[in-house]
Each structure stands twice: as C-alpha cells, then as structure tokens.
Coordinates of all heavy atoms in Angstrom, one line a residue:
M41 N 78.0 19.9 1.8 CA 76.9 20.8 1.7 C 76.7 21.4 3.1 O 76.7 20.6 4.1 CB 75.7 20.1 1.2 CG 74.6 21.0 0.8 SD 73.1 20.2 0.2 CE 73.7 19.3 -1.2
A42 N 76.4 22.7 3.2 CA 76.2 23.3 4.5 C 74.9 22.8 5.2 O 73.9 22.6 4.4 CB 76.2 24.8 4.3
P43 N 74.8 22.7 6.5 CA 73.6 22.2 7.2 C 72.4 23.1 6.9 O 71.3 22.6 6.8 CB 74.0 22.3 8.6 CG 75.4 22.4 8.7 CD 75.9 23.0 7.4
D44 N 72.6 24.4 6.7 CA 71.4 25.3 6.4 C 71.2 25.5 4.9 O 70.4 26.3 4.5 CB 71.5 26.6 7.1 CG 72.9 27.1 7.4 OD1 73.7 26.3 7.7 OD2 73.1 28.3 7.3
S45 N 71.8 24.6 4.1 CA 71.5 24.7 2.6 C 70.1 24.3 2.3 O 69.6 23.4 2.9 CB 72.5 23.8 1.9 OG 72.1 23.6 0.6
P46 N 69.4 25.1 1.4 CA 68.0 24.8 1.1 C 67.8 23.3 0.6 O 66.8 22.8 0.8 CB 67.6 25.8 0.1 CG 68.8 26.7 -0.1 CD 69.9 26.2 0.7
D47 N 68.9 22.8 -0.1 CA 68.7 21.5 -0.6 C 69.0 20.4 0.4 O 69.0 19.2 0.1 CB 69.6 21.3 -1.9 CG 69.1 22.0 -3.1 OD1 67.9 22.3 -3.1 OD2 69.9 22.3 -3.9
N48 N 69.3 20.7 1.6 CA 69.5 19.7 2.7 C 68.3 19.6 3.6 O 68.4 19.1 4.7 CB 70.8 20.2 3.5 CG 71.4 19.0 4.2 OD1 71.2 17.9 3.9 ND2 72.1 19.3 5.3
T49 N 67.2 20.0 3.1 CA 65.9 19.9 3.9 C 65.1 18.7 3.5 O 65.2 18.2 2.4 CB 65.1 21.2 3.8 OG1 64.7 21.3 2.4 CG2 65.9 22.4 4.2
P50 N 64.2 18.3 4.4 CA 63.3 17.2 4.0 C 62.5 17.5 2.8 O 62.2 16.7 2.0 CB 62.4 17.0 5.2 CG 63.2 17.5 6.4 CD 64.1 18.6 5.8
L51 N 62.1 18.8 2.6 CA 61.3 19.2 1.5 C 62.1 18.9 0.2 O 61.5 18.5 -0.8 CB 60.9 20.7 1.6 CG 60.1 21.2 0.4 CD1 58.8 20.4 0.3 CD2 59.8 22.7 0.6
A52 N 63.4 19.2 0.2 CA 64.2 19.0 -1.0 C 64.2 17.5 -1.4 O 64.3 17.2 -2.6 CB 65.7 19.4 -0.8
D53 N 64.2 16.6 -0.4 CA 64.1 15.2 -0.7 C 62.8 14.8 -1.4 O 62.7 13.9 -2.2 CB 64.3 14.3 0.5 CG 65.7 14.5 1.1 OD1 66.6 14.8 0.3 OD2 65.9 14.2 2.3
Q54 N 61.7 15.5 -1.0 CA 60.4 15.2 -1.5 C 60.1 15.9 -2.8 O 59.2 15.5 -3.6 CB 59.3 15.6 -0.5 CG 59.3 14.9 0.8 CD 58.4 15.5 1.8 OE1 57.6 16.4 1.5 NE2 58.5 15.0 3.0
D55 N 60.9 16.9 -3.1 CA 60.7 17.7 -4.4 C 62.1 17.8 -5.1 O 62.7 18.9 -5.1 CB 60.2 19.1 -4.0 CG 59.7 19.8 -5.2 OD1 59.5 19.2 -6.3 OD2 59.4 21.0 -5.1
P56 N 62.6 16.7 -5.6 CA 63.9 16.7 -6.2 C 64.0 17.5 -7.5 O 63.0 17.8 -8.2 CB 64.2 15.2 -6.5 CG 62.8 14.7 -6.7 CD 61.9 15.4 -5.8
W57 N 65.2 17.9 -7.8 CA 65.5 18.6 -9.1 C 65.7 17.5 -10.2 O 66.2 16.5 -10.0 CB 66.8 19.3 -9.0 CG 66.8 20.5 -8.1 CD1 67.3 20.6 -6.9 CD2 66.2 21.8 -8.4 NE1 67.1 21.9 -6.4 CE2 66.4 22.6 -7.3 CE3 65.6 22.3 -9.6 CZ2 66.0 24.0 -7.3 CZ3 65.2 23.7 -9.5 CH2 65.4 24.5 -8.4
L58 N 65.1 17.8 -11.4 CA 65.2 16.9 -12.5 C 65.9 17.7 -13.7 O 65.6 18.9 -13.9 CB 63.8 16.5 -13.0 CG 62.9 15.8 -11.9 CD1 61.5 15.7 -12.5 CD2 63.5 14.4 -11.6
T59 N 66.7 17.0 -14.5 CA 67.2 17.6 -15.7 C 66.2 17.5 -16.8 O 65.2 16.7 -16.7 CB 68.5 16.9 -16.1 OG1 68.2 15.6 -16.5 CG2 69.6 16.9 -15.0
L60 N 66.4 18.3 -17.8 CA 65.5 18.2 -19.0 C 65.5 16.9 -19.6 O 64.5 16.3 -20.1 CB 65.8 19.3 -20.0 CG 65.7 20.8 -19.4 CD1 65.8 21.8 -20.6 CD2 64.4 21.0 -18.6
A61 N 66.7 16.2 -19.6 CA 66.8 14.9 -20.2 C 66.1 13.9 -19.4 O 65.4 13.0 -20.0 CB 68.3 14.5 -20.3
E62 N 66.1 14.0 -18.1 CA 65.3 13.1 -17.2 C 63.8 13.2 -17.5 O 63.1 12.2 -17.5 CB 65.6 13.3 -15.8 CG 67.0 12.9 -15.4 CD 67.4 13.3 -14.0 OE1 66.9 14.4 -13.5 OE2 68.3 12.7 -13.4
I63 N 63.4 14.5 -17.6 CA 61.9 14.7 -17.9 C 61.6 14.1 -19.2 O 60.5 13.5 -19.4 CB 61.6 16.2 -17.8 CG1 61.8 16.7 -16.4 CG2 60.2 16.5 -18.3 CD1 61.8 18.2 -16.2
A64 N 62.4 14.4 -20.2 CA 62.1 13.8 -21.6 C 62.0 12.3 -21.6 O 61.1 11.7 -22.2 CB 63.2 14.3 -22.6
D65 N 63.0 11.7 -20.8 CA 63.0 10.2 -20.8 C 61.7 9.7 -20.1 O 61.1 8.8 -20.5 CB 64.2 9.8 -20.0 CG 64.4 8.3 -20.0 OD1 64.3 7.7 -21.1 OD2 64.6 7.7 -18.9
E66 N 61.3 10.4 -19.0 CA 60.1 9.9 -18.2 C 58.9 10.1 -19.0 O 58.0 9.2 -19.0 CB 60.0 10.8 -16.9 CG 58.8 10.4 -16.1 CD 58.8 11.1 -14.8 OE1 59.9 11.4 -14.2 OE2 57.7 11.5 -14.3
L67 N 58.8 11.2 -19.8 CA 57.6 11.4 -20.6 C 57.6 10.9 -22.0 O 56.7 11.0 -22.7 CB 57.3 12.9 -20.7 CG 57.0 13.6 -19.3 CD1 56.8 15.1 -19.5 CD2 55.8 13.0 -18.6
R68 N 58.8 10.3 -22.3 CA 59.0 9.7 -23.6 C 58.8 10.7 -24.8 O 58.1 10.5 -25.7 CB 58.2 8.5 -23.8 CG 58.5 7.4 -22.8 CD 57.7 6.2 -23.0 NE 58.1 5.2 -22.0 CZ 57.5 4.1 -21.7 NH1 56.5 3.7 -22.4 NH2 58.0 3.3 -20.8
V69 N 59.4 11.9 -24.6 CA 59.4 12.9 -25.6 C 60.9 13.3 -25.8 O 61.8 12.9 -25.1 CB 58.6 14.2 -25.2 CG1 57.1 13.8 -25.0 CG2 59.1 14.8 -23.9
S70 N 61.1 14.1 -26.8 CA 62.4 14.6 -27.1 C 62.9 15.7 -26.1 O 62.0 16.5 -25.7 CB 62.4 15.2 -28.5 OG 63.6 16.0 -28.8
P71 N 64.2 15.7 -25.8 CA 64.6 16.8 -24.9 C 64.3 18.2 -25.5 O 64.1 19.1 -24.8 CB 66.1 16.5 -24.8 CG 66.3 15.1 -25.0 CD 65.2 14.7 -26.0
A72 N 64.3 18.2 -26.9 CA 64.0 19.5 -27.5 C 62.5 19.9 -27.2 O 62.3 21.1 -27.1 CB 64.2 19.4 -29.0
T73 N 61.7 19.0 -27.0 CA 60.3 19.3 -26.7 C 60.2 19.9 -25.3 O 59.5 20.9 -25.0 CB 59.4 18.0 -26.7 OG1 59.4 17.5 -28.1 CG2 58.0 18.3 -26.3
V74 N 61.0 19.3 -24.3 CA 61.0 19.9 -23.0 C 61.6 21.3 -23.0 O 61.1 22.2 -22.3 CB 61.8 18.9 -22.0 CG1 61.8 19.4 -20.6 CG2 61.1 17.5 -22.1
R75 N 62.7 21.5 -23.8 CA 63.3 22.8 -23.9 C 62.3 23.8 -24.4 O 62.2 25.0 -24.0 CB 64.5 22.8 -24.7 CG 65.7 22.2 -24.0 CD 67.0 22.4 -24.8 NE 67.1 21.8 -26.1 CZ 67.4 20.6 -26.4 NH1 67.7 19.7 -25.4 NH2 67.3 20.1 -27.6
L76 N 61.5 23.4 -25.4 CA 60.4 24.2 -26.0 C 59.4 24.6 -24.9 O 59.0 25.8 -24.8 CB 59.7 23.5 -27.1 CG 58.7 24.3 -27.8 CD1 59.3 25.6 -28.5 CD2 57.9 23.5 -28.9
W77 N 59.0 23.7 -24.1 CA 58.1 24.0 -23.0 C 58.7 25.0 -22.0 O 58.0 25.9 -21.6 CB 57.7 22.7 -22.2 CG 56.9 21.7 -23.0 CD1 56.2 21.9 -24.1 CD2 56.7 20.4 -22.6 NE1 55.6 20.8 -24.5 CE2 55.9 19.8 -23.6 CE3 57.2 19.5 -21.6 CZ2 55.6 18.4 -23.6 CZ3 56.9 18.2 -21.6 CH2 56.1 17.7 -22.6
V78 N 60.0 24.9 -21.8 CA 60.6 25.9 -20.9 C 60.7 27.3 -21.6 O 60.3 28.3 -21.0 CB 62.1 25.4 -20.5 CG1 62.8 26.5 -19.8 CG2 62.0 24.2 -19.7
S79 N 61.0 27.3 -22.8 CA 61.1 28.6 -23.6 C 59.8 29.3 -23.7 O 59.7 30.5 -23.8 CB 61.8 28.4 -24.9 OG 61.0 27.7 -25.8
Q80 N 58.7 28.5 -23.8 CA 57.4 29.0 -23.9 C 56.8 29.4 -22.6 O 55.7 29.9 -22.5 CB 56.4 28.0 -24.6 CG 56.8 27.8 -26.1 CD 55.9 26.6 -26.7 OE1 55.4 25.8 -26.0 NE2 55.8 26.7 -28.0
G81 N 57.5 29.1 -21.5 CA 57.0 29.4 -20.2 C 56.0 28.4 -19.6 O 55.4 28.6 -18.6
R82 N 55.8 27.3 -20.3 CA 54.8 26.3 -19.8 C 55.4 25.5 -18.7 O 54.7 24.9 -17.9 CB 54.5 25.3 -21.0 CG 53.7 26.0 -22.1 CD 53.5 25.1 -23.2 NE 52.7 25.7 -24.3 CZ 52.3 25.1 -25.3 NH1 52.5 23.8 -25.5 NH2 51.6 25.8 -26.3
L83 N 56.8 25.4 -18.6 CA 57.4 24.6 -17.6 C 58.5 25.5 -17.0 O 59.4 26.0 -17.7 CB 58.1 23.4 -18.2 CG 58.8 22.4 -17.2 CD1 57.8 21.8 -16.2 CD2 59.5 21.3 -18.0
E84 N 58.5 25.8 -15.7 CA 59.4 26.7 -15.1 C 60.7 25.9 -14.7 O 60.7 24.8 -14.1 CB 58.8 27.2 -13.7 CG 59.7 28.3 -13.1 CD 59.1 28.8 -11.8 OE1 57.9 29.0 -11.8 OE2 59.9 29.0 -10.9
A85 N 61.8 26.5 -15.2 CA 63.1 25.8 -15.0 C 64.1 26.9 -14.5 O 64.0 28.1 -14.6 CB 63.6 25.2 -16.3
T86 N 65.2 26.3 -13.8 CA 66.2 27.2 -13.3 C 67.5 26.8 -14.0 O 67.9 25.7 -14.1 CB 66.4 26.9 -11.7 OG1 65.1 27.2 -11.1 CG2 67.5 27.7 -11.1
R87 N 68.2 27.9 -14.4 CA 69.5 27.6 -15.1 C 70.5 27.2 -14.1 O 70.7 27.8 -13.0 CB 69.9 28.9 -15.8 CG 71.1 28.6 -16.8 CD 71.4 29.8 -17.7 NE 70.5 30.0 -18.8 CZ 70.5 29.3 -19.9 NH1 71.4 28.4 -20.1 NH2 69.7 29.6 -20.9
A88 N 71.2 26.1 -14.4 CA 72.3 25.6 -13.4 C 73.6 25.5 -14.1 O 74.4 24.7 -13.8 CB 71.8 24.2 -12.9
G89 N 73.8 26.4 -15.1 CA 75.1 26.4 -15.8 C 74.8 27.0 -17.2 O 73.7 27.4 -17.5
A90 N 75.8 27.1 -18.0 CA 75.6 27.7 -19.4 C 74.6 26.9 -20.2 O 73.9 27.5 -20.9 CB 77.0 27.7 -20.1
R91 N 74.6 25.6 -20.1 CA 73.7 24.8 -20.9 C 72.8 23.8 -20.1 O 72.1 23.0 -20.7 CB 74.5 24.0 -21.9 CG 75.3 24.8 -22.9 CD 76.1 24.0 -23.8 NE 75.2 23.1 -24.5 CZ 75.6 22.3 -25.5 NH1 76.8 22.4 -26.0 NH2 74.7 21.6 -26.1
K92 N 72.8 24.0 -18.8 CA 72.0 23.0 -18.0 C 70.8 23.7 -17.3 O 71.0 24.8 -16.7 CB 72.9 22.4 -16.9 CG 72.3 21.4 -16.1 CD 73.2 20.7 -15.2 CE 72.5 19.5 -14.4 NZ 73.5 18.8 -13.6
W93 N 69.7 23.1 -17.4 CA 68.5 23.6 -16.8 C 68.0 22.5 -15.8 O 68.1 21.3 -16.1 CB 67.4 23.8 -17.8 CG 67.6 24.9 -18.7 CD1 68.2 24.9 -19.9 CD2 67.2 26.3 -18.5 NE1 68.2 26.2 -20.5 CE2 67.6 27.0 -19.6 CE3 66.5 26.9 -17.5 CZ2 67.3 28.4 -19.7 CZ3 66.2 28.3 -17.6 CH2 66.6 29.0 -18.7
L94 N 67.4 22.9 -14.7 CA 66.8 22.0 -13.7 C 65.4 22.4 -13.4 O 65.1 23.6 -13.4 CB 67.6 22.1 -12.4 CG 69.1 21.6 -12.5 CD1 69.8 21.8 -11.1 CD2 69.1 20.1 -12.9
V95 N 64.6 21.4 -13.2 CA 63.1 21.6 -12.9 C 62.8 20.8 -11.6 O 63.2 19.7 -11.5 CB 62.3 21.1 -14.1 CG1 60.8 21.2 -13.8 CG2 62.7 21.8 -15.4
R96 N 62.0 21.5 -10.7 CA 61.6 20.8 -9.6 C 60.5 19.8 -10.0 O 59.7 20.0 -10.9 CB 61.0 21.7 -8.5 CG 62.0 22.5 -7.8 CD 62.6 21.6 -6.7 NE 63.4 22.4 -5.8 CZ 64.2 21.9 -4.9 NH1 64.2 20.6 -4.7 NH2 64.9 22.6 -4.1
R97 N 60.4 18.6 -9.3 CA 59.4 17.6 -9.6 C 58.0 18.2 -9.4 O 57.1 18.0 -10.2 CB 59.6 16.4 -8.6 CG 58.4 15.5 -8.5 CD 58.1 14.8 -9.7 NE 59.1 13.9 -10.2 CZ 59.1 13.2 -11.3 NH1 58.0 13.3 -12.1 NH2 60.0 12.4 -11.7
S98 N 57.8 19.1 -8.4 CA 56.5 19.7 -8.2 C 56.1 20.6 -9.4 O 54.9 20.7 -9.7 CB 56.5 20.5 -6.9 OG 57.5 21.6 -7.0
E99 N 57.1 21.2 -10.0 CA 56.8 22.1 -11.2 C 56.3 21.2 -12.4 O 55.4 21.5 -13.1 CB 58.0 22.9 -11.6 CG 57.8 23.7 -12.8 CD 56.7 24.7 -12.9 OE1 56.1 25.0 -11.9 OE2 56.3 25.0 -14.0
L100 N 57.0 20.1 -12.6 CA 56.6 19.1 -13.6 C 55.2 18.6 -13.3 O 54.4 18.6 -14.2 CB 57.6 18.0 -13.7 CG 57.3 16.9 -14.8 CD1 57.2 17.5 -16.2 CD2 58.3 15.8 -14.7
D101 N 55.0 18.2 -12.1 CA 53.6 17.7 -11.7 C 52.6 18.8 -12.0 O 51.5 18.5 -12.4 CB 53.6 17.3 -10.3 CG 54.4 16.0 -10.0 OD1 54.8 15.4 -11.0 OD2 54.7 15.7 -8.9
R102 N 52.9 20.1 -11.6 CA 52.0 21.2 -11.9 C 51.6 21.3 -13.3 O 50.4 21.4 -13.7 CB 52.5 22.5 -11.4 CG 51.6 23.7 -11.5 CD 52.3 25.0 -11.7 NE 53.3 25.0 -12.8 CZ 53.0 25.2 -14.1 NH1 51.7 25.3 -14.5 NH2 53.9 25.2 -15.0
M103 N 52.6 21.2 -14.2 CA 52.4 21.4 -15.6 C 51.5 20.2 -16.1 O 50.6 20.4 -16.9 CB 53.7 21.4 -16.4 CG 53.5 21.6 -17.9 SD 54.9 21.3 -18.9 CE 54.8 19.6 -19.2
L104 N 51.8 19.0 -15.6 CA 51.1 17.8 -16.0 C 49.7 17.7 -15.4 O 48.9 16.9 -15.8 CB 51.9 16.5 -15.7 CG 53.2 16.4 -16.4 CD1 54.0 15.2 -15.9 CD2 53.0 16.3 -17.9
G105 N 49.5 18.4 -14.3 CA 48.2 18.3 -13.6 C 48.1 17.1 -12.8 O 47.0 16.5 -12.6
V106 N 49.3 16.6 -12.2 CA 49.3 15.4 -11.5 C 49.3 15.6 -10.0 O 50.0 16.5 -9.6 CB 50.6 14.6 -11.9 CG1 50.8 13.4 -11.0 CG2 50.6 14.2 -13.3
E107 N 48.6 14.8 -9.3 CA 48.7 14.8 -7.8 C 49.3 13.5 -7.4 O 48.8 12.5 -7.7 CB 47.3 14.9 -7.2 CG 46.6 16.3 -7.4 CD 45.3 16.4 -6.6 OE1 45.2 15.7 -5.6 OE2 44.5 17.2 -7.1
R108 N 50.5 13.6 -6.8 CA 51.3 12.4 -6.5 C 50.9 12.0 -5.1 O 50.8 12.8 -4.2 CB 52.8 12.7 -6.6 CG 53.2 13.0 -8.0 CD 54.7 12.8 -8.1 NE 55.0 13.0 -9.5 CZ 55.1 12.1 -10.4 NH1 54.8 10.8 -10.0 NH2 55.4 12.3 -11.6
S109 N 50.8 10.7 -4.9 CA 50.6 10.1 -3.6 C 52.0 9.9 -2.9 O 53.0 9.7 -3.6 CB 49.8 8.8 -3.7 OG 50.6 7.9 -4.3
P110 N 52.1 9.8 -1.6 CA 53.3 9.6 -1.0 C 53.9 8.2 -1.3 O 55.1 8.0 -1.2 CB 53.0 9.7 0.5 CG 51.7 10.3 0.6 CD 51.0 10.1 -0.7
S111 N 53.1 7.3 -1.8 CA 53.5 5.9 -2.0 C 54.3 5.8 -3.3 O 55.0 4.8 -3.5 CB 52.4 4.9 -2.0 OG 51.5 5.3 -3.0
G112 N 54.1 6.7 -4.3 CA 54.9 6.5 -5.5 C 54.2 7.4 -6.6 O 53.2 8.0 -6.4
P113 N 54.9 7.3 -7.8 CA 54.4 8.2 -8.9 C 53.1 7.8 -9.5 O 52.4 8.6 -10.1 CB 55.5 8.1 -9.9 CG 56.2 6.9 -9.6 CD 56.0 6.6 -8.2
G114 N 52.7 6.5 -9.6 CA 51.5 6.1 -10.2 C 51.4 6.4 -11.6 O 52.3 6.1 -12.4
E115 N 50.4 7.1 -12.1 CA 50.2 7.4 -13.5 C 50.4 8.9 -13.7 O 50.1 9.7 -12.8 CB 48.8 7.0 -13.9 CG 48.5 5.5 -13.8 CD 47.1 5.1 -14.3 OE1 46.3 6.1 -14.6 OE2 46.8 4.0 -14.4
V116 N 50.9 9.2 -14.9 CA 51.0 10.6 -15.3 C 50.4 10.7 -16.7 O 50.3 9.8 -17.4 CB 52.5 11.1 -15.3 CG1 53.1 11.0 -14.0 CG2 53.3 10.3 -16.3
P117 N 49.9 11.9 -17.0 CA 49.4 12.1 -18.3 C 50.4 11.8 -19.4 O 51.6 12.0 -19.2 CB 49.0 13.6 -18.4 CG 48.8 13.9 -16.9 CD 49.8 13.1 -16.2
S118 N 50.0 11.3 -20.5 CA 50.9 11.0 -21.7 C 50.9 12.2 -22.6 O 50.2 13.1 -22.5 CB 50.4 9.8 -22.5 OG 49.2 10.2 -23.1
V119 N 51.9 12.2 -23.5 CA 52.0 13.2 -24.5 C 51.7 12.5 -25.8 O 52.5 11.7 -26.3 CB 53.4 13.8 -24.5 CG1 53.5 14.8 -25.6 CG2 53.7 14.4 -23.2
S120 N 50.5 12.7 -26.3 CA 50.1 12.1 -27.6 C 49.8 13.2 -28.6 O 49.5 14.3 -28.2 CB 48.9 11.1 -27.4 OG 47.8 11.9 -26.9
G121 N 49.7 12.8 -29.8 CA 49.4 13.8 -30.9 C 50.6 14.7 -31.1 O 51.7 14.3 -31.4
D122 N 50.3 16.0 -30.9 CA 51.3 17.1 -31.1 C 52.4 17.0 -30.0 O 52.1 17.3 -28.9 CB 50.7 18.4 -31.1 CG 51.6 19.6 -31.3 OD1 52.8 19.3 -31.5 OD2 51.2 20.7 -31.3
P123 N 53.6 16.6 -30.3 CA 54.7 16.5 -29.3 C 55.1 17.8 -28.7 O 55.7 17.8 -27.6 CB 55.8 15.8 -30.0 CG 55.6 16.2 -31.4 CD 54.2 16.3 -31.6
Y124 N 54.7 18.9 -29.2 CA 55.1 20.2 -28.7 C 54.0 20.8 -27.8 O 54.2 21.9 -27.3 CB 55.4 21.2 -29.9 CG 56.6 20.7 -30.7 CD1 56.4 20.1 -31.9 CD2 57.8 20.8 -30.2 CE1 57.5 19.6 -32.6 CE2 58.9 20.4 -30.9 CZ 58.7 19.7 -32.1 OH 59.8 19.3 -32.7
R125 N 52.9 20.1 -27.6 CA 51.9 20.6 -26.7 C 52.0 19.8 -25.4 O 52.1 18.6 -25.4 CB 50.5 20.2 -27.3 CG 49.3 20.6 -26.4 CD 48.0 20.1 -27.0 NE 48.0 18.7 -27.4 CZ 47.8 17.7 -26.5 NH1 47.7 17.9 -25.2 NH2 47.8 16.4 -26.9
P126 N 52.0 20.5 -24.3 CA 52.1 19.7 -23.0 C 50.8 18.9 -22.8 O 49.8 19.3 -23.3 CB 52.2 20.8 -21.9 CG 52.1 22.1 -22.6 CD 52.0 21.9 -24.1
P127 N 51.0 17.8 -22.2 CA 49.8 16.9 -22.0 C 48.7 17.6 -21.2 O 49.0 18.5 -20.3 CB 50.4 15.7 -21.3 CG 51.6 16.2 -20.7 CD 52.1 17.3 -21.5
T128 N 47.5 17.2 -21.4 CA 46.4 17.7 -20.6 C 46.1 16.7 -19.5 O 46.5 15.5 -19.6 CB 45.1 17.9 -21.5 OG1 44.8 16.6 -22.0 CG2 45.3 18.9 -22.6
P129 N 45.5 17.1 -18.4 CA 45.2 16.2 -17.3 C 44.4 14.9 -17.7 O 44.6 13.9 -17.0 CB 44.4 17.0 -16.3 CG 44.9 18.4 -16.6 CD 45.1 18.5 -18.1
G130 N 43.7 14.9 -18.7 CA 42.9 13.8 -19.1 C 43.7 12.7 -19.8 O 43.2 11.5 -19.9
E131 N 44.9 13.0 -20.3 CA 45.7 12.0 -21.0 C 46.4 11.2 -20.0 O 47.0 11.7 -19.1 CB 46.7 12.7 -22.0 CG 46.0 13.4 -23.1 CD 46.9 14.2 -23.9 OE1 47.7 15.0 -23.3 OE2 46.9 14.1 -25.1
R132 N 46.4 9.8 -20.2 CA 47.1 9.0 -19.2 C 48.1 8.1 -19.8 O 48.0 7.6 -20.9 CB 46.0 8.1 -18.5 CG 44.8 8.8 -17.9 CD 45.2 9.8 -16.8 NE 45.5 9.1 -15.6 CZ 45.9 9.6 -14.5 NH1 46.2 10.9 -14.5 NH2 46.2 8.9 -13.5
L133 N 49.2 7.8 -19.0 CA 50.2 6.9 -19.4 C 50.7 6.2 -18.2 O 51.0 6.9 -17.1 CB 51.4 7.7 -20.1 CG 52.7 7.0 -20.3 CD1 52.5 6.0 -21.4 CD2 53.8 7.9 -20.6
I134 N 50.9 4.9 -18.2 CA 51.5 4.2 -17.1 C 53.0 4.4 -17.1 O 53.7 4.2 -18.2 CB 51.3 2.7 -17.1 CG1 49.7 2.4 -17.2 CG2 51.9 2.0 -16.0 CD1 49.0 2.8 -16.0
V135 N 53.6 5.0 -16.1 CA 55.0 5.2 -16.0 C 55.8 3.9 -15.9 O 55.4 3.1 -15.1 CB 55.3 6.2 -14.8 CG1 56.8 6.4 -14.7 CG2 54.6 7.5 -14.9
H136 N 56.9 3.8 -16.7 CA 57.7 2.6 -16.6 C 58.1 2.3 -15.2 O 58.6 3.2 -14.5 CB 58.9 2.8 -17.5 CG 59.8 1.6 -17.4 ND1 59.5 0.4 -18.1 CD2 61.0 1.4 -16.9 CE1 60.5 -0.4 -17.9 NE2 61.4 0.2 -17.1
G137 N 57.9 1.1 -14.7 CA 58.3 0.8 -13.3 C 57.2 1.0 -12.3 O 57.3 0.5 -11.2
A138 N 56.1 1.7 -12.7 CA 55.0 1.9 -11.7 C 54.0 0.9 -12.0 O 53.7 0.5 -13.2 CB 54.5 3.3 -11.9
S139 N 53.3 0.4 -11.0 CA 52.3 -0.6 -11.2 C 50.9 0.1 -11.0 O 50.7 0.8 -10.0 CB 52.4 -1.7 -10.3 OG 52.4 -1.3 -8.9
P140 N 50.0 -0.1 -12.0 CA 48.7 0.5 -11.8 C 47.9 -0.3 -10.7 O 48.4 -1.3 -10.3 CB 48.0 0.2 -13.2 CG 48.8 -0.9 -13.8 CD 50.2 -0.8 -13.2
A141 N 46.8 0.2 -10.3 CA 46.0 -0.4 -9.3 C 45.7 -1.8 -9.7 O 45.4 -2.1 -10.9 CB 44.7 0.4 -9.1
S142 N 45.7 -2.7 -8.8 CA 45.5 -4.1 -9.1 C 44.1 -4.4 -9.7 O 43.1 -3.8 -9.3 CB 45.5 -5.0 -7.8 OG 45.2 -6.3 -8.0
N143 N 44.1 -5.2 -10.8 CA 42.8 -5.4 -11.4 C 42.3 -6.9 -11.2 O 41.4 -7.3 -11.8 CB 42.9 -5.2 -12.9 CG 43.9 -6.1 -13.6 OD1 44.5 -7.0 -13.0 ND2 44.1 -5.8 -14.9
G144 N 43.0 -7.5 -10.2 CA 42.6 -8.9 -9.9 C 43.2 -10.0 -10.7 O 43.0 -11.1 -10.4
S145 N 43.9 -9.7 -11.8 CA 44.5 -10.7 -12.6 C 45.9 -11.1 -12.0 O 46.5 -10.3 -11.4 CB 44.6 -10.3 -14.0 OG 45.5 -9.2 -14.1
D146 N 46.3 -12.3 -12.4 CA 47.7 -12.7 -11.9 C 48.8 -12.3 -12.8 O 49.9 -12.6 -12.6 CB 47.7 -14.2 -11.8 CG 46.8 -14.7 -10.6 OD1 46.6 -13.9 -9.7 OD2 46.3 -15.8 -10.6
G147 N 48.5 -11.6 -13.9 CA 49.5 -11.0 -14.7 C 49.9 -11.6 -15.9 O 50.8 -11.4 -16.6

C-alpha cells in the first residue's frame, strides 16, 4: 500500500471498513436485512466489487445512533421486532465479547 493511501492513516485504523456480513453478524440480523438498509439509503455503503459492499464503522454507528468510547464498543442498540427496521437509539443489546459496566457482582 502506498504511504499516502487514505487507508494508511490513523483515521482509517479508528474507522475500519466492515462487510455487510460482518455487520449482520454483529447485529444478529440477516445479511439480507443489511442489504435492504443499504438499498433504502438508511446505511451508506461503498461498492468494492461486483457483489461486495463496504461500510465504515462510523457510518454504522451513525445509523445506530451510537457514540463509541475509545476503550471499546460497549453497548449498541438491538434490532427487535421488525427485522427490516433499523434499530432506534433507545433499543439496547450487549455486544458479544463486550462487558457492560460493573454491577458489583462476582459473576
């Protein structure tokens, strides 16, 4: 990769590209649902080939209404009810592998 490539910047490390399959897995929805959000304009994606779409992490966060802390992903809104509706900021889901704020219990 060339040194002045846009993806070789610190910002690119903080705002990685995600595939639609990765987004679907993270949100526990069908990849078809994520493709629907893209086709409806709810999620901005960039075509990276004939059948491949990429989405910036910041764009997914924008759609979900999530503010991420530098320490990790924390919680993101869940997709409940209608799977074709993007989640609203009030819906919450603990992301697999993320730990919620300590509640004082030993687990």
Side-chain angles (χ1 to χ4, degrees):
M41 195 177 305
D44 28 321
S45 170
D47 286 338
N48 199 23
T49 63
L51 180 58
D53 292 336
Q54 296 172 8
D55 194 12
W57 291 102
L58 303 170
T59 65
L60 302 189
E62 290 170 332
I63 293 169
D65 187 49
E66 182 176 322
L67 298 178
R68 297 181 182 171
V69 298
S70 165
T73 299
V74 181
R75 284 191 300 275
L76 181 65
W77 293 340
V78 170
S79 70
Q80 291 174 338
R82 295 177 179 183
L83 182 64
E84 185 179 321
T86 301
R87 193 172 281 281
R91 297 180 56 173
K92 185 173 184 176
W93 290 91
L94 295 175
V95 177
R96 283 284 191 187
R97 165 62 66 184
S98 61
E99 172 59 18
L100 177 61
D101 291 347
R102 180 209 54 82
M103 184 194 84
L104 296 173
V106 172
E107 290 186 27
R108 294 198 177 268
S109 66
S111 61
E115 296 181 355
V116 297
S118 69
V119 178
S120 60
D122 181 1
Y124 297 102
R125 175 186 55 80
T128 61
E131 295 174 310
R132 307 299 284 175
L133 169 71
I134 305 297
V135 177
H136 179 72
S139 60
S142 174
N143 61 7
S145 67
D146 289 334

